Amino acid sequence: MFKVTVCGAAGGIGQPLSLLLKLNEDITDLALYDLVNAPGVAADLSHINTPSKVTSYLGADQLPGALMGANLVIIPAGVPRKPGMTRDDLFKINAGIIRDLATAAATHCPKAFMLIISNPVNSTVPIVAEVFASKGVYDPKRIFGITTLDVVRASRFVTDIKAGSVNPVTTRVPIVGGHSGPTIVPLLSQIQPHQSFTQEEIEALTKRIQYGGDEVVKAKDGAGSATLSMAQAGARFAKAVITAALHGATGIVEPTFVDLDADATNGAAIRAEIQGLQHFALPVELGKDGVERIHSIGSISDYEKQLLSGAVSELKGSIQKGVDFVRASL
Ligand code: NAD
Ligand code: LMR
């Protein structure tokens, strides 16, 4: 039995994400929660002939039912960007939404894996961590900020400039830091399989990966941000977490924004390299309890070191902003 709850299931990400989760045969119960339209989305998906039973929950009164017994909660609830906005501009609306959803999850499914999509991820993940800590149920191994879209984009963008010689499905670029412009630090020097780039290619690729979200926001021209590619990235990350948890599969590694205390062995050494930040995106090996091992940054180029130092100073403020928001409302 494996129950997944999607909070924000009727939205631009929520609908295609719920579709992709409906196709995941490890899931036995798919609970769709939103303030609007959840019953319609659930009725539609419930006709697909895969094992999961789909149920719908509409409005705050039904949130406890959606969360009760959940093994994994994935959250794309909240508002997306419009042109001219930063992800941090979403904080004033999304911070409260995430705090309230996290409060309900800490009460009704405190052991669930919590997968956070809503922006600004660099602050919403610390918000969830702080809420769980305030309720005495915090396990840093089980709370993840989804940064998979940056990794998905990087594999694709590399293919765009190395046409013919790179497979976008198997190419992997580790991305560390966070999920907003300068905090997204692609480690092209560690690309697998190995590729050589000119410095000009490295700088152009890095910028495109850092600002991939803006490309979509601009093209959608006021109608929101990435939804379809995000749904694919979210379903890929959820599948990785579920596969490691349910089947004891080893060697599953995905970059994700986590609390470095999740790895008692490597976390402290990594924190020392990044001015003591509590949360950071790094490739993480997943296991039956969530985070199994956080990979260290490893050896990086001087250009990447420079990017990393910019990321650390921006992240410091974003993480603290999330923590302060929760502490102020306790
Ligand atoms: P959307 O407006 O299309 O959908 C959001 C959904 O959330 C709506 O259905 C809305 O009714 C619902 N919602 C709002 N408040 C809620 C609450 N309190 N409880 C439950 N549901 C609630 O937006 P979208 O395009 O799906 O984007 C959602 C979020 O995901 C945004 O914050 C966006 O910035 C973020 N995002 C993150 C990434 C990433 O890489 N992590 C990528 C793309 C988008
Ligand atoms: C993205 O990277 O596409 C998302 O974070 C949405 C956004 O606001 O760009």
Side-chain angles (χ1 to χ4, degrees), residues 25-26 37 56 123 150:
E25 297 192 22
D26 278 332
N37 300 335
S56 77
S123 302
D150 301 321

Side-chain angles (χ1 to χ4, degrees), residues 6-327:
V6 184
C7 295
I13 296 168
Q15 291 201 35
L17 173 63
S18 300
L19 168 61
L20 294 171
L21 294 171
K22 179 70 181 116
L23 302 181
N24 184 327
E25 297 192 22
D26 278 332
I27 298 171
T28 53
D29 293 275
L30 184 58
L32 306 186
Y33 172 71
D34 205 302
L35 302 181
V36 296
N37 300 335
V41 177
D44 192 352
L45 290 180
S46 72
H47 292 188
I48 294 174
N49 63 325
T50 53
S52 52
K53 180 173 187 275
V54 184
T55 48
S56 77
Y57 301 85
L58 186 66
D61 291 351
Q62 297 189 4
L63 180 56
L67 294 172
M68 209 81 79
N71 300 97
L72 182 149
V73 177
I74 185 161
I75 308 186
V79 292
R81 283 198 287 164
K82 289 191 186 330
M85 293 172 77
T86 65
R87 292 178 182 82
D88 186 58
D89 291 334
L90 304 172
F91 186 95
K92 43 185 170 314
I93 299 182
N94 289 352
I97 293 174
I98 297 306
R99 177 199 55 205
D100 296 349
L101 290 171
T103 303
T107 306
H108 300 292
C109 54
K111 290 196 171 310
F113 298 115
M114 299 292 296
L115 277 54
I116 315 304
I117 294 173
S118 312
N119 273 315
V121 165
N122 297 349
S123 302
T124 53
V125 174
I127 287 175
V128 176
E130 198 60 27
V131 168
F132 272 60
S134 74
K135 300 273 174 202
V137 293
Y138 183 44
D139 178 355
K141 289 179 174 294
R142 304 176 92 83
I143 296 179
F144 305 90
I146 304 193
T147 56
T148 322
L149 182 53
D150 301 321
V151 177
V152 164
R153 283 180 178 138
S155 302
R156 182 59 236 175
F157 295 168
V158 168
T159 312
D160 288 346
I161 68 157
K162 295 276 184 195
S165 64
V166 169
N167 179 348
V169 179
T170 51
T171 296
R172 294 239 162 186
V173 180
I175 300 197
V176 303
H179 179 68
S180 72
T183 71
I184 298 171
V185 180
L187 302 182
L188 288 160
S189 64
Q190 295 180 6
I191 189 171
Q192 291 293 333
H194 179 74
Q195 286 287 325
S196 299
F197 301 102
T198 63
Q199 185 58 27
E200 199 180 354
E201 284 176 330
I202 289 173
E203 290 181 21
L205 265 174
T206 298
K207 190 151 201 281
R208 189 163 183 222
I209 295 164
Q210 290 183 317
Y211 295 95
D214 297 62
E215 260 182 46
V216 182
V217 169
K218 184 162 178 249
K220 291 200 173 178
D221 197 18
S225 56
T227 53
L228 304 173
S229 50
M230 181 59 233
Q232 190 273 341
R236 164 175 150 173
F237 187 71
K239 185 182 167 68
V241 173
I242 295 168
T243 305
L246 270 184
H247 304 302
T250 55
I252 299 181
V253 176
E254 286 285 354
T256 166
F257 188 70
V258 287
D259 183 335
L260 293 163
D261 285 349
D263 183 338
T265 311
N266 292 337
I270 298 169
R271 285 189 70 186
E273 278 187 77
I274 51 170
Q275 293 179 31
L277 289 183
Q278 192 71 37
H279 283 86
F280 206 66
L282 281 161
V284 168
E285 182 168 346
L286 298 161
K288 72 176 177 27
D289 297 317
V291 174
E292 184 74 29
R293 188 165 77 90
I294 304 177
H295 288 210
S296 54
I297 297 167
S299 129
I300 60 175
S301 68
D302 288 345
Y303 177 67
E304 290 162 352
K305 282 183 191 153
Q306 211 181 303
L307 294 173
L308 199 64
S309 114
V312 167
S313 48
E314 178 163 329
L315 274 169
K316 198 172 280 178
S318 307
I319 294 168
Q320 196 57 48
K321 188 170 173 178
V323 171
D324 290 346
F325 175 77
V326 176
R327 290 190 182 161

